[in-house]
Amino acid sequence: MGCEVHPNCGGCAFRELDLSVYQKQKEENIKKLLEENLGDLEGKWCLPKFLPDGLRRRASFAFEFRNQKVILGFNENKSKYITDLSSCFMLSKKLNDALPALRNFLAELCAIKVSKKQKGKKFLTLQILSGDLLVLEAENGVDIVLETDADLLLEHRQLVFDFMNQYDDFIRFSWRKKHTQSAEPIVQKTNPFIRIGKTDVFVAPGDFLQPSKEGEKILVDLVIEYVGQTRGKMADLFCGIGTFSYALCALDQTEVLAVDVSKSLLEGFEKSVHKQMISNVKIMQKNLFLYPLTPDELKGLNVIVFDPPRAGAKEQVKEICLINEKDRPQKIVAVSCNPLTFARDAKMLINGGYKIERLTMVDQFVYSEHSEIVCLFTNEK
C-alpha cells in the first residue's frame, strides 16, 4: 500500500513489501530468532495472528514550530527529525480525522508569545516551540495529552478551553512537562474509558495501553486460552491497568494478585476494581526489576502471567526458577513485546525445568520489525 511519507517515517519499515510477502518474512524471521535460542519449535509454533492497518487507537506525535508553521508527525527512522503527516494508514479513522484540528490548534498555540519580566533582567519572551502530543481514542471520545518543556501559561490555557469547546469528540486535554510526570487535566468533560471484556476501565492521562483494542483482545483471548481449565490463585505481573487481571478474575474460583511499579496506573486500576465491585483481585505496588517477588511470595500460585516492558522480566524469572519443585505453578503464560528479551527469559525457564507447550506471534505493529509473543510454559514435574 502506497504511503506519501514512506520510507522517511520511522513507523513502517517494510511498507513497500506486498502484504503476504511481509507477513511470511516476519513469521520466518521471528521463528528463526526464537529457534536459534530455544531449539526446535515444531508442534509448539501456532498460527500467527496478523492485524490489518487502520486499528491504532493511540499515537504519540512529535511537533515543532518552524517558520510560522507546525510540523506534526512521527520521528524519522533513527532520527530526531519529524516526518510531517496529513494522515497515517496505521491510525484509526477517528484519529486521522482529528489530525487537521490538532494541527490548527498547535499552530495557534505555538504562535502565542508571552512577555514576562524577569527579576533584575529584561523582558523574556516565552513561546511553545516543540513537544509531543499523545492522542487516545477511548470508547467515549478522544483524550489528548500535551507534553512540552515550556510552562502552560494563562494565555495557552484559554486557547485550550476555546479549542475543546469547539469539538464534542475531544473529551479531555491534559498537560505535563515530561513523560515521567503525572499529567494535569486542563479540560475534562468526562472520564475517558476503554472496554476490557465486559468491564469499562477508566484511564488516567497518558496511561500505557495496548495500541489497538483488537490487538488487546487477541492477547487477552490467548492468555485465557492458555490458562485453560486451570483455576485457583494466579498472579498478573507487570499488570499495568489490569488488562489481563480483569479477564483472569472473571474466571470461576480464581484469586488474582496484580503487581506493577506504576503508582498512577495502579490507582486507576484500584478505583476501577472498587467501582466494578470486583472482590477477587489484590493489587500490589512493587518494582519487579529491583525487587521481584520471591519464591515464598510466589508459593501457592497455580498460574503466573507476566507481561513486562521491552527489557523483559529477567530478575523476576530468576525467582520463579527458584521455586521448590513441589510448589511450582502449573502454568506460566509469558507475554512479550520484544522477542529478544523473551528468548532470554524463556531459556531461563526451560533451564529451570519448565517446557514450552504453545507459542503464538501477534503482529500488532503492521509493516514494522516489532512483534509480540504469547507463550505457554508448563511445569514438567
Side-chain angles (χ1 to χ4, degrees):
M1 185 181 293
C3 174
E4 61 182 8
V5 296
H6 177 78
N8 291 333
C9 178
C12 302
F14 305 107
R15 188 164 286 277
E16 77 279 0
L17 296 177
D18 179 80
L19 182 61
S20 61
V21 173
Y22 155 74
Q23 291 179 346
K24 181 181 179 181
Q25 177 179 297
K26 191 164 199 177
E27 179 181 3
E28 289 175 348
N29 289 344
I30 297 299
K31 188 176 181 183
K32 179 182 178 182
L33 182 155
L34 295 180
E35 288 188 328
E36 286 174 351
N37 289 273
L38 306 176
D40 187 14
L41 294 174
E42 189 65 33
K44 304 171 184 178
W45 183 267
C46 300
L47 193 66
K49 307 286 187 180
F50 289 102
L51 276 74
D53 268 330
L55 298 181
R56 289 203 63 156
R57 65 181 174 187
R58 67 172 177 86
S60 179
F61 299 106
F63 73 88
E64 61 180 1
F65 192 58
R66 279 189 282 151
N67 300 321
Q68 304 303 307
K69 180 183 177 183
V70 165
I71 307 298
L72 174 66
F74 300 127
N75 287 106
E76 295 181 8
N77 190 26
K78 298 179 182 178
S79 170
K80 65 179 180 180
Y81 295 104
I82 301 169
T83 299
D84 202 27
L85 295 176
S86 58
S87 64
C88 175
F89 286 116
M90 293 191 300
L91 301 181
S92 69
K93 183 179 185 302
K94 180 165 281 191
L95 291 192
N96 270 321
D97 289 346
L99 278 175
L102 294 174
R103 182 183 297 277
N104 290 337
F105 163 74
L106 288 172
E108 292 186 53
L109 186 77
C110 293
I112 294 174
K113 296 180 180 180
V114 182
S115 294
K116 294 288 183 180
K117 188 173 183 179
Q118 303 299 298
K119 188 175 180 180
K121 297 181 181 179
K122 296 181 180 180
F123 280 91
L124 181 67
T125 300
L126 303 178
Q127 189 174 12
I128 295 173
L129 296 175
S130 64
D132 294 293
L133 203 66
L134 286 66
V135 186
L136 167 68
E137 180 188 345
E139 292 291 334
N140 53 340
V142 177
D143 187 23
I144 304 166
V145 178
L146 173 68
E147 193 173 293
T148 179
D149 288 337
D151 288 323
L152 204 65
L153 303 175
L154 177 61
E155 293 82 353
H156 302 128
R157 291 168 185 260
Q158 288 175 333
L159 179 65
V160 170
F161 279 104
D162 292 341
F163 167 68
M164 291 294 287
N165 285 332
Q166 293 179 51
Y167 299 96
D168 292 337
D169 280 346
F170 296 166
I171 56 175
R172 183 172 64 192
F173 189 105
S174 307
W175 165 75
R176 65 187 178 192
K177 284 194 172 184
K178 299 178 181 178
H179 72 276
T180 54
Q181 298 177 340
S182 297
E184 173 197 353
I186 306 300
V187 176
Q188 180 164 323
K189 302 174 184 176
T190 186
N191 286 315
F193 70 89
I194 63 169
R195 189 163 290 123
I196 301 177
K198 297 180 180 179
T199 306
D200 291 342
V201 179
F202 295 112
V203 293
D207 273 357
F208 173 81
L209 302 171
Q210 294 294 338
S212 69
K213 60 182 179 181
E214 292 82 1
E216 181 176 79
K217 183 178 186 305
I218 288 174
L219 295 177
V220 170
D221 288 349
L222 282 169
V223 168
I224 297 304
E225 177 187 336
Y226 287 176
V227 168
Q229 297 305 310
T230 306
R231 295 294 183 268
K233 293 183 178 180
M234 304 182 180
D236 178 13
L237 308 182
F238 309 94
C239 66
I241 64 167
T243 301
F244 300 118
S245 294
Y246 287 110
L248 293 171
C249 74
L251 302 174
D252 294 334
Q253 301 176 352
T254 61
E255 297 176 32
V256 180
L257 172 65
V259 186
D260 200 276
V261 67
S262 173
K263 182 179 179 181
S264 62
L265 287 177
L266 294 183
E267 284 178 346
F269 185 13
E270 195 151 25
K271 288 178 183 177
S272 181
V273 164
H274 290 158
K275 182 177 178 64
Q276 308 286 342
M277 293 186 290
I278 298 172
S279 60
N280 58 336
V281 173
K282 178 184 177 182
I283 297 171
M284 177 190 296
Q285 183 184 3
K286 196 169 189 181
N287 187 332
L288 296 175
F289 293 107
L290 298 177
Y291 310 105
L293 296 180
T294 65
D296 284 343
E297 291 174 300
L298 296 167
K299 185 177 179 180
L301 293 171
N302 292 334
V303 176
I304 295 176
V305 177
F306 65 85
D307 180 18
R310 292 187 61 78
K314 181 179 178 180
E315 298 306 318
Q316 184 59 74
V317 169
K318 282 182 183 178
E319 297 298 317
I320 292 172
C321 292
L322 293 175
I323 302 172
N324 289 330
E325 187 173 339
K326 63 182 179 65
D327 296 323
R328 287 179 179 174
Q330 297 176 39
K331 294 178 178 178
I332 297 172
V333 183
V335 183
S336 173
C337 59
N338 186 343
L340 285 171
T341 55
F342 166 77
R344 178 201 65 201
D345 296 344
K347 193 169 185 177
M348 291 170 59
L349 287 171
I350 292 168
N351 291 339
Y354 297 88
K355 65 177 182 179
I356 293 177
E357 289 287 346
R358 285 184 283 171
L359 185 153
T360 304
M361 184 190 90
V362 180
D363 186 28
Q364 281 209 81
F365 305 96
V366 62
Y367 291 114
S368 79
E369 296 177 342
H370 303 295
S371 290
E372 301 214 36
I373 302 292
V374 184
C375 183
L376 169 63
F377 297 86
T378 56
N379 183 0
E380 286 192 322
K381 67 179 180 180

